[in-house]
Amino acid sequence: MDFFFSRIFGNQLLFLLGLSFTNASYAAAFQPAVPVFTFLLAAIVGVEVINIFTKDGIVKVVGAAVCVSGAALMVFYRGSSLIGMGGVSNAVGENILDDTWSSNSYTSQWLTSTMLQYGVETWHLGVICPVGNCFLMGAYLVIQVI
């Protein structure tokens, strides 16, 4: 029972940490990767059978590769955003969005300081957290089948 709660708690915690370190676009872009992680983990465990010589097997592998390459592109692309990230200003000119979404929890501060020691920036941490979220959700779904 503890395993169940720790998996769900860790899953949601990583998603929320990813939201606090990046923006909603990145967090939403990674959520379609849950079926890919589920497929890969099910194939590793042996629940999903992949026959590369059939049309279905080729489509499964190509689909997983396309999804993983799209997620990798999101991780490595650091260009300018199409819609500005400046935040919303009030009548006085203060930035409301940055103050509202600042993270003050102990867990996120500890995780940020630990990762910064090893050269991982908060933007990278914000991208790693949704990937961990998708992995944990995929693992939870595979464990339910076993």
Side-chain angles (χ1 to χ4, degrees):
M1 193 64 149
D2 292 327
F3 183 70
F4 170 76
F5 287 117
S6 65
R7 171 122 11 233
I8 296 298
F9 176 74
N11 177 16
Q12 295 302 316
L13 178 67
L14 286 175
F15 180 77
L16 292 174
L17 283 174
L19 268 177
S20 69
F21 293 133
T22 60
N23 57 18
S25 298
Y26 279 106
F30 281 108
Q31 290 308 304
V34 171
V36 174
F37 281 106
T38 306
F39 168 69
L40 293 175
L41 289 170
I44 290 170
V45 172
V47 175
E48 182 74 31
V49 178
I50 304 170
N51 188 358
I52 198 74
F53 300 111
T54 63
K55 183 179 177 181
D56 293 339
I58 293 171
V59 170
K60 286 179 185 180
V61 171
V62 169
V66 167
C67 290
V68 168
S69 64
L73 179 67
M74 288 287 294
V75 169
F76 294 120
Y77 178 71
R78 291 197 64 167
S80 61
S81 62
L82 297 176
I83 301 172
M85 287 286 299
V88 179
S89 298
N90 61 9
V92 181
E94 298 170 342
N95 199 345
I96 298 171
L97 187 62
D98 292 339
D99 294 336
T100 305
W101 290 102
S102 64
S103 176
N104 293 324
S105 70
Y106 175 75
T107 306
S108 65
Q109 289 175 357
W110 172 81
L111 188 59
T112 304
S113 64
T114 304
M115 296 304 280
L116 288 175
Q117 286 178 348
Y118 296 106
V120 177
E121 299 174 14
T122 55
W123 183 83
H124 292 113
L125 184 61
V127 173
I128 291 170
C129 285
V131 170
N133 163 264
C134 294
F135 178 79
L136 286 178
M137 190 63 199
Y140 172 72
L141 292 172
V142 170
I143 288 172
Q144 293 299 312
V145 173
I146 295 176

